[in-house]
Amino acid sequence: MKKFFTFVGLMALSLLSASASVEIGQDVTSKIADPGMEAVANWTNNGFKINNRGTYYELFTGNFIEQWKASTSSSEAFLDDIDIHTTISVDNGIYLFSAAVIACQQSGTRESVSGVFLYANADAVACSTGDGAPERFYVMTNVTDGQLTLGFKTESTDANWVAWDNAELYFYGDAAVDMERAVAILTLKANLEGIEYHAETKMQKSVWEALVAAMTRAEYILFGETAEYHSTEDII
């Protein structure tokens, strides 16, 4: 057990010291004028509105951007096709775009919805969540012309409520991610549940959160989804 936690500590230091490299990803969220969704005027907007009522949802902070139609089990409503996006000038290369998203049908008639997308240029990920339960979705794209369009939209959706907040953008350079390093990150993340208590009590909160974020991004790059956690008992 002691050797395992020594390994974890060394991995943490390695990952954090490399956090500025393109292999782990450079945080270029600052290139987005309004990643916190403070106003629709900061985006090219077709159909969305601002929510500034101070309603709290996990992963959302302050204002967020949304659209909603009243919907019941006897009178189910669907949103029209709407879109909000921004286009920025960037270096060519691989980008990972993410945002906290709500995409649901509040009538209670559907467990999931279709036709809601987070997108980066021509690449998109379908979004579906519980009612008032944001999740973070990720989409990766390879920029070749110096222009990157980032957005959120509906197309023939069966959702009645969509919202997004807290966008993030990471740059991974013009080559594939260092697979050996990514696999090492995933090895650590796969056992995260078993070491969480130990790590949180030994690390500063900001360091722990940075480590988890780096592992989550690496996991998405390899698999495009979140893998299940496994207990440390599986490998010790």
Side-chain angles (χ1 to χ4, degrees), residues 43-110:
W43 298 79
T44 300
N45 179 39
N46 178 23
F48 282 85
K49 62 184 180 181
I50 195 73
N51 183 317
N52 57 7
R53 297 189 295 273
T55 308
Y56 173 78
Y57 300 100
E58 187 177 2
L59 303 182
F60 280 21
T61 53
N63 295 349
F64 58 89
I65 291 173
E66 68 171 353
Q67 190 50 273
W68 173 85
K69 280 187 176 182
S71 186
T72 66
S73 58
S74 60
S75 181
E76 196 175 48
F78 302 148
L79 291 173
D80 297 329
D81 289 358
I82 54 178
D83 176 272
I84 189 166
H85 66 270
T86 186
T87 300
I88 58 177
S89 297
V90 296
D91 294 332
N92 288 344
I94 299 170
Y95 288 84
L96 181 64
F97 178 53
S98 71
V101 168
I102 292 172
C104 66
Q105 173 53 248
Q106 295 175 296
S107 66
T109 60
R110 301 168 188 269

Side-chain angles (χ1 to χ4, degrees), residues 27-38 43 59-61 63-65 84 86 88 96-101 118-119 135-139 150-152 163-170:
D27 186 348
V28 292
T29 305
S30 60
K31 290 183 175 291
I32 304 172
D34 184 18
M37 314 299 170
E38 293 302 316
W43 298 79
L59 303 182
F60 280 21
T61 53
N63 295 349
F64 58 89
I65 291 173
I84 189 166
T86 186
I88 58 177
L96 181 64
F97 178 53
S98 71
V101 168
L118 182 74
Y119 66 93
E135 297 178 31
R136 183 163 288 275
F137 290 86
Y138 299 81
V139 58
L150 306 169
F152 185 50
W164 72 329
D165 199 6
N166 292 326
E168 295 180 352
L169 182 65
Y170 282 80

Side-chain angles (χ1 to χ4, degrees), residues 48 79-84 114-117 152-157 159 162:
F48 282 85
L79 291 173
D80 297 329
D81 289 358
I82 54 178
D83 176 272
I84 189 166
S114 61
V116 183
F117 302 97
F152 185 50
K153 65 182 178 179
T154 64
E155 292 181 345
S156 302
T157 187
V162 298

Side-chain angles (χ1 to χ4, degrees), residues 13-28 94-96 169-182 185 213-214 217-218 221:
L13 290 174
S14 174
L15 292 175
L16 292 170
S17 66
S19 62
S21 70
V22 294
E23 287 83 3
I24 299 301
Q26 289 179 317
D27 186 348
V28 292
I94 299 170
Y95 288 84
L96 181 64
L169 182 65
Y170 282 80
F171 176 57
Y172 289 88
D174 59 2
V177 174
D178 182 338
M179 294 298 288
E180 184 175 345
R181 179 174 289 169
I185 294 170
R217 292 195 300 275
I221 290 163

